[in-house]
Amino acid sequence: MTMQKLLNNPNSVEGVFRVSRWLSPAMGRWAASWISKWIASKSDLSLVKAVRVNQWVAGGENLSAEKLDQQVIKVLNTAGISFYNLFHNFERPEILQSLVVFTPEIEEVIQRSREKRYGLVVAGIHISNFDLVAQAAALHGLKGFALSVPEPDNAIRWQHDLRKKSGLDILDANLTNLRLAIKRLQSGETVVTGIDRPVPNPKLKPQFFGRPAHLAVHHVQLALHAKIPVMVMGAIMKDDGKYHILTSSEIQMRPYTDRSTELKSNAERILEITEEIIRSALDQWVVFQPIWPETLPLIPK
């Protein structure tokens, strides 16, 4: 089995889950550090190449090869600690929630989701511990549903089964479920969906960190069809060891006569805010597929 297949194997993910259950926090941090350095040393691994691409572009396209090496280790370490914190505390709902700082703005979103006052698209950024924050929010009372990738692999499906135990209602983002999502949003529900995971051969490529990006615009489509706002959300770990949620104000979609312009322009307004949040903790941005694959030959080695 290749390294990439090993990392994408559901048995590997389940193995990490089981080990994380009994490791102490100190051992968990040590294991995350060791594994991140080991994986980062595999420079031919597509995962490592993807992190280098994303960090280089988001870092202003001026990071040296040495700096990129350091960033890859930091990003992988963030991912390792994130998995440990989530898996170790999975059946400890009070501890899981205590790791997240819920701001008054988030408390308002949660309360509104329970009352179904009006629909909202939460555009999530895969920064720091996106998964833990989403599950902690569900345990904290957030009602609604999450949209995932259209065709999840076995490893992702295993993780979905785990997420559902926290009360998350997860839908694959296929055409049927997107239509269902619009109806649920129109009835006042809240949807959480990631916006910074790349998709193959997108029809539109909105500008992101100054380059056309291989990103989906499904969140914009949902908001336009349901006539509801979008809120950008991410969370970064601070020195207190907790995940602090960062949010934008509600973003109302702007109508355009040309459909492509409408989708692309609104997506770029959302991505401008996304850039600000990512820049605040670049080494915590954990996206393991290249958003700008055409830049790979430009990356310092």
Side-chain angles (χ1 to χ4, degrees):
M1 180 180 289
T2 66
M3 173 72 74
Q4 195 69 41
K5 288 183 178 179
L6 179 65
L7 294 172
N8 293 335
N9 191 299
N11 293 329
S12 300
V13 180
E14 186 172 4
V16 172
F17 173 77
R18 295 187 182 281
V19 171
S20 297
R21 304 288 288 152
W22 59 264
L23 281 181
S24 68
M27 283 297 296
R29 289 191 295 271
W30 177 86
S33 176
W34 186 87
I35 293 171
S36 64
K37 292 176 182 177
W38 176 62
I39 295 176
S41 69
K42 312 297 181 182
S43 58
D44 289 335
L45 197 63
S46 60
L47 179 151
V48 173
K49 291 179 180 178
V51 174
R52 292 177 72 87
V53 164
N54 296 337
Q55 289 287 306
W56 184 72
V57 176
E61 302 189 7
N62 57 13
L63 298 180
S64 66
E66 293 75 17
K67 180 62 175 177
L68 279 174
D69 290 341
Q70 296 170 15
Q71 288 294 101
V72 171
I73 293 173
K74 290 178 181 178
V75 169
L76 292 172
N77 191 55
T78 292
I81 291 173
S82 295
F83 276 122
Y84 171 78
N85 283 339
L86 174 61
F87 292 165
H88 184 72
N89 298 299
F90 183 74
E91 293 180 345
R92 303 178 175 95
E94 291 184 0
I95 295 177
L96 207 63
Q97 293 177 70
S98 72
L99 291 173
V100 179
V101 177
F102 291 96
T103 62
E105 291 81 6
I106 297 301
E107 296 286 5
E108 170 62 20
V109 169
I110 291 173
Q111 184 60 34
R112 190 174 65 199
S113 75
R114 295 172 66 86
E115 298 172 359
K116 295 186 179 181
R117 291 184 217 162
Y118 60 89
L120 177 68
V121 175
V122 176
I125 308 171
H126 289 90
I127 190 168
S128 194
N129 207 333
F130 177 80
D131 224 348
L132 183 148
V133 171
Q135 294 192 41
L139 291 167
H140 201 64
L142 179 70
K143 299 298 181 183
F145 59 103
L147 274 179
S148 180
V149 295
E151 298 178 357
D153 59 28
N154 290 333
I156 292 178
R157 288 198 179 281
W158 183 90
Q159 293 177 65
H160 283 354
D161 291 339
L162 201 67
R163 292 158 183 157
K164 289 175 181 177
K165 293 179 181 179
S166 295
L168 285 173
D169 180 12
I170 301 174
L171 302 176
D172 298 344
N174 54 47
L175 186 58
T176 299
N177 284 339
L178 286 173
R179 289 171 178 165
L180 175 61
I182 291 169
K183 293 180 179 178
R184 292 179 65 169
L185 287 166
Q186 289 172 331
S187 69
E189 291 196 52
T190 297
V191 61
V192 179
T193 187
I195 63 169
D196 55 349
R197 286 279 168 85
V199 294
N201 304 314
K203 293 181 179 179
L204 297 174
K205 293 182 181 179
Q207 290 284 316
F208 188 37
F209 286 106
R211 284 184 176 270
H214 289 237
L215 295 176
V217 294
H218 62 288
H219 52 294
V220 177
Q221 292 173 314
L222 291 174
L224 285 167
H225 279 292
K227 296 181 172 58
I228 59 170
V230 173
M231 176 181 285
V232 181
M233 186 178 298
I236 61 174
M237 176 180 273
K238 295 192 176 181
D239 292 341
D240 59 4
K242 295 187 177 183
Y243 300 100
H244 293 249
I245 301 177
L246 306 175
T247 61
S248 70
S249 56
E250 292 184 4
I251 306 165
Q252 299 292 340
M253 298 296 95
R254 293 174 182 168
Y256 291 82
T257 54
D258 179 74
R259 182 62 171 173
S260 295
T261 301
E262 185 175 52
L263 292 171
K264 188 170 181 288
S265 177
N266 282 297
E268 288 173 348
R269 292 171 57 218
I270 293 167
L271 288 173
E272 285 180 7
I273 298 168
T274 303
E275 290 177 14
E276 294 178 13
I277 294 176
I278 291 172
R279 286 193 185 100
S280 70
L282 181 58
D283 55 11
Q284 294 187 36
W285 188 36
V286 286
V287 176
F288 296 135
Q289 304 82 26
I291 294 175
W292 306 271
E294 69 281 355
T295 66
L296 184 58
L298 307 177
I299 308 302
K301 298 180 180 180

